[in-house]
Amino acid sequence: MKKFDLNIEKVLEHWSLAHALREIIANALDESILSNTQQPLIHKDSNGLWHIKDYGRGLKYEHLTQNENTEKTENPNKVIGKFGVGLKDALATFDRRQIEVTIHSRYSDITIEKAPKGDFEDVVTLHAIVKEPTNPEMVGTEFIFSGLQDSDIDDAKDFFLLYSGDKLIEETKYGSIYISRKKSARIYVNGICVAEEENFLFSYNITSPTKKLLQSLNRERSNVGRSAYTDRVKSILLECTSNESAELLVDDLQNMQTGVTHDELQWIDVQLHACKILSSKEKVLFLTAYDLMDGGKYINYAKEEGIRIVTVPDNLALKLQSSKDLNGNEFRDLDVFAAEWNQNFEFKLVDYKKLSKREKEVFDHKDTILNWFPHQRKAVKTIVISETMRPDNYSGDDALGLWEPANKRIIIKRSQLSNVQAFTGTFLHELVHAFTGTDDVTLEFEQEMTKMLGKLAVNNIKPNKKVGLLNIFKINR
């Protein structure tokens, strides 16, 4: 038997048994990673004693001399702790809490007790009592505890992602995101909880901690400030490419107008990335709140085509205009969708012969109306009737008439042939576009329309005019 002074200068009085057990479990998990062996076994035997056993290389008493383990410090992206520091703190806590501990490995059996410090009989310190191994062929290390309650083990396991039951959503090179089954989300570093977040959408396991984060991990490895891990949480989110993570982020984004989104959605680069994923996976129309009110029939057309409608804040909408999704395609906003829809739109033209007698009578006035315009300009080549029309650019409703400069064609919606007044008003409107080249809702168009109405009035108040605008309007009375 040998006595080994643990040289614990400061006992962590606030540590509970759960904190001490956390260190034992963390070391066991680290050993399973470093030795590439199976996960630790935690169980209670028939005598009511709790066991924590790993299947690694076995604990040596020399490990109790170390302040930190080089193997662990060189693998910060794999393991949880620095073997030696937390272990001694744990043993001191067990002693203070009157929990008996026995450690078995193929190298030795170790227990703890208080004993005089070297030659100083009046100074009593905590020692490890090292004996010959009970089982020299043993694989791994086993801790056996007397005096633990089941709740102590439960509380200790609650520190670990492995035992959390959280649902994995996606893994990235910086870490993973999870749906927490608890009320609060959690921040894990290599599987051990270091902070809780009441208003995070996801829990995160950071497997590639930054230098700042590593420096912030104190002996307790808990209550780490958000500033230490924010950068890594963002990095994880910006590396995500799964549809599930994007769906959850975008669904949360829809609540931004009410101010009840989770904190990750306050980061506009995360908002943008979620939209990039979603746009690359499915057909999406991104609209602002104003677009929803002013989008007219285009929104209905999008829904009919099975395109998903996603509402975004104005500042994000501006970002989308200058960005591409993960496939390198531009985002589909209202203007983009309208252009796509109009480009693919096909008019359902109606042959003159298929018009009703009444419709033909109304449509036949087109030549008379056309003669009111300058004869020296052949602005219009064809005038056709269509059952279907594109929405106009202002109300979002189906246009009653359209002027196509490229084809020099006027298209009139068939419903306008219901009476002469409706047809004449629409036809005149499109003729002004054709002969003046001005656009709707412009001062130039209003001026040209006013001039044309004035000319028509002058022409039709002259005496002995056989056919005039006033006579035409009388036809349908």
Side-chain angles (χ1 to χ4, degrees):
M1 183 186 74
K2 298 179 180 178
K3 292 183 179 181
F4 184 87
D5 193 340
L6 294 177
N7 287 316
I8 298 176
E9 298 178 359
K10 183 179 180 182
V11 177
L12 300 177
E13 297 288 343
H14 63 283
W15 265 29
S16 66
L17 287 174
H19 287 95
L21 289 166
R22 178 192 63 184
E23 299 306 309
I24 307 305
I25 297 172
N27 284 329
L29 288 169
D30 286 348
E31 180 60 20
S32 70
I33 293 170
L34 293 172
S35 62
N36 194 27
T37 52
Q38 70 184 72
Q39 290 180 354
L41 176 64
I42 302 175
H43 72 285
K44 184 167 70 170
D45 64 25
S46 58
N47 295 319
L49 303 179
W50 276 97
H51 298 242
I52 299 175
K53 175 176 171 52
D54 68 58
Y55 297 87
R57 296 159 294 183
L59 178 75
K60 300 178 181 179
Y61 75 86
E62 289 90 344
H63 289 129
L64 302 176
T65 68
Q66 298 172 339
N67 287 325
E68 60 182 37
N69 183 293
T70 303
E71 186 178 29
K72 290 198 175 189
T73 57
E74 291 175 353
N75 291 278
N77 295 351
K78 293 183 179 181
V79 299
I80 297 169
K82 299 175 180 179
F83 194 83
V85 178
L87 175 57
K88 291 197 291 184
D89 290 333
L91 294 176
T93 300
F94 292 135
D95 176 73
R96 182 165 52 85
R97 302 278 182 172
Q98 298 180 337
I99 301 297
E100 295 182 7
V101 182
T102 303
I103 307 170
H104 294 287
S105 75
R106 63 191 177 101
Y107 299 106
S108 59
D109 292 350
I110 300 174
T111 56
I112 54 175
E113 67 177 44
K114 292 220 173 52
K117 185 177 181 66
D119 295 330
F120 300 92
E121 295 292 332
D122 58 334
V123 179
V124 178
T125 60
L126 192 63
H127 285 65
I129 307 303
V130 182
K131 301 179 181 178
E132 291 298 317
T134 302
N135 181 7
E137 304 299 322
M138 178 180 175
V139 174
T141 302
E142 184 170 23
F143 285 73
I144 303 174
F145 304 92
S146 175
L148 285 180
Q149 302 296 315
D150 294 356
S151 59
D152 297 325
I153 292 290
D154 291 338
D155 291 343
K157 292 172 71 174
D158 190 52
F159 285 106
F160 296 90
L161 175 61
L162 178 63
Y163 308 112
S164 68
D166 290 353
K167 177 187 175 184
L168 174 65
I169 299 298
E170 186 169 357
E171 294 180 284
T172 76
K173 64 182 180 181
Y174 298 113
S176 306
I177 61 175
Y178 291 80
I179 294 295
S180 177
R181 65 180 182 86
K182 298 181 181 297
K183 184 176 181 180
S184 297
R186 287 182 157 193
I187 306 299
Y188 296 91
V189 175
N190 292 323
I192 191 168
C193 181
V194 300
E196 292 195 358
E197 287 282 358
E198 292 186 357
N199 199 42
F200 266 23
L201 177 61
F202 299 119
S203 288
Y204 300 87
N205 183 34
I206 299 171
T207 55
S208 178
T210 61
K211 182 177 180 181
K212 181 179 181 180
L213 177 55
L214 289 173
Q215 290 174 341
S216 70
L217 296 178
N218 52 26
R219 292 174 83 183
E220 290 77 32
R221 293 197 290 273
S222 59
N223 302 316
V224 175
R226 181 185 285 191
S227 62
Y229 51 78
T230 294
D231 288 345
R232 263 301 175 253
V233 168
K234 283 186 179 181
S235 297
I236 292 171
L237 287 170
L238 295 179
E239 281 291 313
C240 286
T241 59
S242 75
N243 200 49
E244 186 172 6
S245 58
E247 286 277 356
L248 292 167
L249 287 166
V250 170
D251 286 347
D252 202 58
L253 183 62
Q254 305 302 285
N255 298 321
M256 183 157 287
Q257 303 295 333
T258 62
V260 292
T261 54
H262 293 86
D263 289 354
E264 296 100 317
L265 273 300
Q266 302 302 318
W267 302 325
I268 192 167
D269 46 354
V270 172
Q271 298 175 18
L272 177 60
H273 186 70
C275 293
K276 286 182 177 182
I277 300 172
L278 200 63
S279 179
S280 66
K281 302 284 186 180
E282 61 180 285
K283 288 186 176 181
V284 185
L285 176 58
F286 296 96
L287 301 176
T288 63
Y290 178 81
D291 291 333
L292 283 174
M293 295 185 293
D294 201 49
K297 284 198 171 183
Y298 283 116
I299 295 178
N300 292 330
Y301 294 150
K303 291 178 180 178
E304 289 171 3
E305 293 181 20
I307 295 176
R308 179 174 177 179
I309 307 296
V310 172
T311 309
V312 296
D314 293 343
N315 60 341
L316 177 56
L318 290 175
K319 287 275 188 181
L320 295 178
Q321 291 175 6
S322 59
S323 303
K324 305 287 186 182
D325 67 18
L326 298 184
N327 296 328
N329 299 320
E330 66 180 348
F331 289 95
R332 186 181 287 105
D333 59 14
L334 191 60
D335 290 339
V336 171
F337 176 76
E340 290 176 350
W341 194 88
N342 289 326
Q343 184 177 0
N344 296 323
F345 178 81
E346 293 183 2
F347 292 100
K348 188 177 180 181
L349 299 181
V350 182
D351 190 289
Y352 177 80
K353 296 177 181 179
K354 293 184 178 182
L355 296 176
S356 69
K357 180 180 178 181
R358 180 61 178 157
E359 289 173 329
K360 288 178 180 177
E361 289 177 356
V362 174
F363 187 59
D364 287 345
H365 290 295
K366 69 182 186 306
D367 294 328
T368 300
I369 300 170
L370 190 58
N371 284 333
W372 299 338
F373 286 76
H375 295 289
Q376 67 272 21
R377 290 184 59 195
K378 298 295 182 181
V380 181
K381 285 187 177 181
T382 55
I383 304 160
V384 296
I385 302 299
S386 178
E387 292 277 9
T388 57
M389 295 291 283
R390 295 194 300 255
D392 64 33
N393 294 327
Y394 303 98
S395 70
D397 294 326
D398 283 353
L400 302 177
L402 288 172
W403 162 242
E404 291 184 333
N407 302 323
K408 292 188 175 182
R409 179 172 73 166
I410 288 177
I411 307 170
I412 304 294
K413 190 175 183 180
R414 186 174 186 176
S415 63
Q416 296 305 97
L417 298 181
S418 61
N419 61 72
V420 176
Q421 182 174 339
F423 172 70
T424 303
T426 299
F427 191 35
L428 283 172
H429 185 103
E430 302 309 323
L431 284 170
V432 171
H433 285 310
F435 279 86
T436 66
T438 54
D439 294 327
D440 277 320
V441 197
T442 64
L443 179 60
E444 292 79 8
F445 178 79
E446 296 295 331
Q447 291 173 339
E448 294 294 340
M449 178 63 84
T450 301
K451 289 179 185 178
M452 181 56 62
L453 292 174
K455 290 178 182 179
L456 295 177
V458 170
N459 290 337
N460 283 278
I461 63 176
K462 292 179 180 179
N464 302 320
K465 190 78 174 179
K466 292 182 179 179
V467 180
L469 181 61
L470 298 180
N471 293 325
I472 291 174
F473 284 138
K474 290 178 183 177
I475 292 175
N476 202 41
R477 288 187 174 181

